[in-house]
């Protein structure tokens, strides 16, 4: 059975990757996961400098999902290069660095530093608030999304995946914009902005008031968006949003994704990626599919 | 490093009964967990219904290594603990653990243990493991619990908000009244109580270890969701630490309870 897939010239031994921010850089997962078995590790978002993130509470439970307002806490790209890349390089997997920034310049600063780093791919998180445009996310305006992609692409040495925000009316428009900006691939979806209120206290549950919704509750929305984007652009797609089982992952691939990321499922069960990979292989076996690429985009 | 170790283990419920109004004792058959467990660590409990996916972190109250039993004590405060309180004996529940760092056992001659409400349970395993003299202070809103379990290890002083037992008022008032001191102060309870204990310990020059609570997305360091503030290294400002992984027990000199 062949599980290997290719994204922008980077070969993944199988389509299973980790969604940014739900796997750290893998250290916490080492007891439960054979990191060598992962197609790629997509690490938590990295910025040009240390970001402290938001105050607690940062987590709220919702039906079939969760809200988070971590606020991209990270130690900055220098610390990341010093500590996390050498750790991950011990394993036979691809390293994808998720990039956070509040301005195009900040994105570019991180990407420039990573030129000399031993990493395989970059993933641009355009769901970050653009401070120069009143804090509106880059990813909800096609012009800003295209501009950020183009500028980052100019300084990037590694292939660039652009991670799309689902908090838009027409995600296809944004996907096309980043394609014109020169993206090598797209990943979707990031979290859906949501909220919870503590009725007794008459206050939001999250200190940040609003946060990103993830987990199985978002899967139908994510799948629909992957399906629409995969049909509309000529780029490989990494599909994610609520994947809990091998069959969920297969659905994303049938909708047009070349690879998938497992997010919230890692938090609920640190061994989730291994189980999902086993379940995908079992599905192929049962259905006499010899090459996983044969199911990519089969749904009309 | 042992790969692909199972994180969530189904455990059989050996005993499940009410200790006080809305407070339950849950004894699980969990030999793997009790074999490794330290006082002050916690386990994640997982619900089965209603789209409740996140862990319910609960402190290890007591372990019985010979029998492989894990004792937990929890209060029903919301939908998850309400669901769990309905699980009958003989049923199974998924558990992950032990998690977190736990208390550091001080080698000194006298220890002060302070618990508030459902912060009391971890003090049982702690008292059991500490050698030396122990004095225990507990605060409850109303009906106390675990007092008998703790009395085995030293004198227990109780305060209740409504005066239904012991001193009417806070546990801190009781400690002030007794001018209690020792080589180390260990505490677990609601944040306002921890803040008062921290101030008391600093004023008296006693080192302290405080066990914190925060909402958790994973419980094992994966999501950075459960942070608390600690004094930044070298003075100015603060840094965030993970309650689940760097804690839940923190040095009273470092943690900032805002
Ligand atoms: C390290 C640690 C040890 C704990 N030990 C105990 C214990 O021994 N006994 C006990 O009764 N309680 C303990 N708690 C608190 C316990 O985790 C919560 O009361 C419980 O999660 C509430 O779940 P729920 O579904 O009933 O409440 P809901 O409010 O319906 O829960 C919704 C979400 O919020 C989370 N949540 C709600 N309250 C808390 C809280 N106080 N702390 C953390 N998460 C919360 C839940 O886990 C869940 O994800 C501990 C908490 C932590 C962090
Ligand atoms: C705790 C948490 C932290 C996250 N951090 C990031 C991040 O740093 N960068 C990013 O692009 N996406 C981040 N995400 C979004 C996920 O990568 C993913 O897009 C989203 O959660 C949907 O997938 P899921 O439902 O499988 O979790 C985060 C999600 C969670 C739950
Ligand atoms: S709860 Fe996920 S890091 Fe602490």
């Amino acid at each position: 059975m062949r599980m290997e897939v290719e994204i922008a010239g980077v070969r993944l031994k199988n389509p299973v990757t980790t969604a940014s921010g739900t796997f750290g850089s893998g250290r916490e997962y080492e007891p439960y996961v054979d990191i060598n078995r992962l197609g790629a590790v997509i690490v938590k978002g990295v910025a040009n400098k240390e970001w402290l993130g938001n105050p607690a509470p940062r987590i709220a439970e919702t039906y079939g999902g969760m809200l988070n307002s971590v606020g991209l806490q990270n130690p900055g790209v220098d610390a990341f290069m010093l500590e996390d890349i050498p750790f991950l390089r011990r394993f036979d997997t691809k390293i994808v660095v998720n990039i956070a920034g509040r301005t195009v310049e900040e994105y570019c600063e991180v990407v420039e530093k990573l030129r000399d780093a031993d990493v395989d791919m970059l993933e641009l998180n355009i769901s970050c608030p653009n401070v120069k445009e009143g804090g509106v996310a880059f990813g909800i305006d096609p012009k800003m999304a295209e501009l950020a992609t183009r500028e980052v692409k100019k300084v990037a040495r590694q292939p660039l995946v652009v991670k799309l925000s689902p908090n838009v009316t027409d995600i296809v428009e944004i996907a096309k914009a980043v394609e014109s900006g020169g993206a090598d691939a797209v990943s979707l979806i990031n979290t859906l902005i949501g909220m919870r209120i503590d009725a007794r206290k008459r206050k939001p549950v999250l200190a940040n008031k609003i946060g990103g919704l993830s987990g199985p509750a978002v899967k139908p929305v994510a799948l629909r968006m992957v399906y629409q984007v995969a049909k509309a652009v000529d780029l490989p797609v990494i599909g994610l949003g609520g994947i809990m089982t091998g069959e969920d992952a297969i659905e994303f691939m049938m909708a047009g994704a070349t690879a998938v990321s497992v997010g919230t499922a890692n938090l609920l069960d640190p061994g989730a990626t291994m189980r999902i990979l086993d379940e995908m292989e079992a599905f192929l076996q049962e259905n006499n599919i010899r090459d996983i690429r044969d199911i990519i985009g089969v749904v009309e | 490093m042992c790969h692909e170790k199972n994180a969530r283990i189904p455990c059989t419920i050996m005993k499940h009964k009410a200790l006080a109004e809305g407070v339950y004792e849950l004894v699980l058959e969990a030999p793997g967990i009790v074999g490794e467990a330290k006082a002050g660590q916690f386990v994640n409990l997982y619900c089965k219904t209603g789209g409740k996916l996140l862990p319910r972190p609960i402190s290890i109250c007591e372990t019985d290594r010979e029998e492989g039993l894990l004792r937990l004590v929890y209060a029903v405060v919301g939908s998850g603990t309400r669901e769990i309180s309905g699980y009958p004996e003989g049923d199974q529940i998924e558990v992950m653990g032990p998690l977190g760092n736990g208390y550091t056992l001080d080698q000194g001659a006298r220890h002060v243990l302070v618990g508030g409400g459902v912060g009391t349970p971890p003090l049982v395993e702690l008292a059991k493991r500490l050698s030396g003299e122990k004095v225990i202070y507990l605060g409850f809103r109303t009906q106390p619990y675990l007092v008998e379990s703790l009395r085995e290890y030293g004198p227990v002083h109780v305060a209740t908000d409504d005066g239904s037992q012991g001193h009417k008022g806070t546990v801190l008032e009781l400690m002030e009244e007794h001018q209690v001191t020792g080589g180390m102060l260990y505490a677990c309870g609601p944040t306002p109580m921890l803040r008062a204990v921290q101030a008391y310990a600093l004023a008296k020059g006693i080192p302290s270890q405080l066990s914190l609570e925060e909402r958790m997305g994973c419980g094992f360091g994966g999501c950075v969701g459960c942070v608390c503030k600690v004094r930044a290294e070298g003075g100015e400002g603060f840094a965030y630490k993970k309650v689940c992984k760097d804690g839940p027990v923190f040095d009273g000199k470092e943690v900032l309870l805002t």
Side-chain angles (χ1 to χ4, degrees), chain A residues 28-29 59 267, chain B residues 42 44 55 214-227 242-245:
Chain A
E28 289 78 11
Y29 289 83
I59 300 288
L267 308 179
Chain B
F42 66 97
N44 279 347
E214 191 46 70
R215 283 169 192 259
M216 294 188 176
C218 66
F220 53 83
C223 70
V224 207
C226 60
V227 293
K242 298 173 189 171
V243 171
C244 71
K245 186 94 186 179

Side-chain angles (χ1 to χ4, degrees), chain B residues 6 22 84 97-99 101 112-113 134 205 211 225:
Chain B
N6 271 336
I84 292 166
L99 300 166
N101 59 359
V112 184
L113 282 63
K134 280 149 275 193
S211 181

Side-chain angles (χ1 to χ4, degrees), chain B residues 8 21 37 72 93 120 143 149 180 183 198 209 234 251-252:
Chain B
R8 289 170 62 151
E21 175 86 33
L72 308 174
I93 180 169
T120 305
Q143 206 184 339
S149 292
V180 54
Q198 183 182 37
Q209 298 180 41
D251 184 337

Side-chain angles (χ1 to χ4, degrees), chain B residues 4-23:
Chain B
E4 303 192 41
K5 136 176 161 185
N6 271 336
R8 289 170 62 151
I9 298 162
C11 295
T12 303
I13 299 174
M14 305 305 284
K15 185 174 166 194
H16 201 179
K17 71 172 210 312
L19 286 186
E21 175 86 33
V23 178

Side-chain angles (χ1 to χ4, degrees), chain B residues 1 8 25 37 39 54 72 82 97 101 165 173 177 182 192 225 231 233-235 251 257:
Chain B
M1 182 114 332
R8 289 170 62 151
E25 172 183 27
L54 297 186
L72 308 174
R82 191 174 318 115
N101 59 359
Q165 267 196 53
E173 290 164 5
E177 195 184 308
R231 228 172 279 285
E233 274 169 51
D251 184 337
L257 299 167

Side-chain angles (χ1 to χ4, degrees), chain A residues 178-243:
Chain A
V178 306
E179 185 175 36
S180 323
D184 299 296
V186 290
S187 56
L188 66 156
I189 62 172
N190 211 314
T191 53
L192 285 150
I193 305 303
M195 184 174 191
R196 264 203 64 188
I197 288 171
D198 183 328
R200 272 176 205 87
K201 294 187 187 151
R202 302 186 177 202
K203 271 170 52 184
V205 173
L206 297 172
N208 189 52
K209 300 191 172 79
I210 60 171
L213 180 66
S214 65
V218 309
K219 192 190 130 198
V221 178
L223 194 61
R224 181 269 293 177
M225 289 183 161
V226 165
Y227 175 74
Q228 290 177 328
V229 167
K231 290 266 178 290
V233 297
D234 256 335
L235 300 174
V237 174
I238 301 175
L240 72 155
I243 294 176

Side-chain angles (χ1 to χ4, degrees), chain A residues 8-120:
Chain A
V10 178
R11 285 203 188 146
L12 312 184
K13 64 174 69 160
N14 64 64
V16 178
T17 72
T18 59
S20 177
T22 65
F23 202 74
S25 286
R27 265 192 204 84
E28 289 78 11
Y29 289 83
E30 207 191 351
Y32 311 104
V33 172
D34 181 358
I35 295 175
N36 298 301
R37 280 188 74 203
L38 291 169
V41 172
I42 306 184
V43 303
K44 64 178 180 248
V46 181
N48 61 335
K49 293 198 177 64
E50 181 181 12
W51 287 11
L52 285 177
N54 290 321
R58 292 177 170 186
I59 300 288
E61 190 175 55
T62 65
Y63 200 99
M66 64 182 278
L67 291 165
N68 90 82
S69 59
V70 170
L72 296 165
Q73 178 178 338
N74 78 90
V77 64
D78 294 328
F80 170 78
M81 285 170 63
L82 213 60
E83 284 157 31
D84 294 358
I85 298 176
F87 168 78
L88 280 170
R89 264 299 165 239
R90 290 173 23 213
F91 303 97
D92 177 23
T93 188
K94 302 295 186 206
I95 304 175
V96 183
V97 186
N98 182 277
I99 318 283
R102 285 164 297 210
T103 60
V104 172
E105 294 73 30
E106 286 185 9
Y107 283 134
C108 289
E109 197 182 325
V110 181
V111 170
E112 245 167 278
K113 286 216 166 130
L114 289 168
R115 283 183 66 86
D116 305 322
D118 184 13
V119 301
D120 300 289

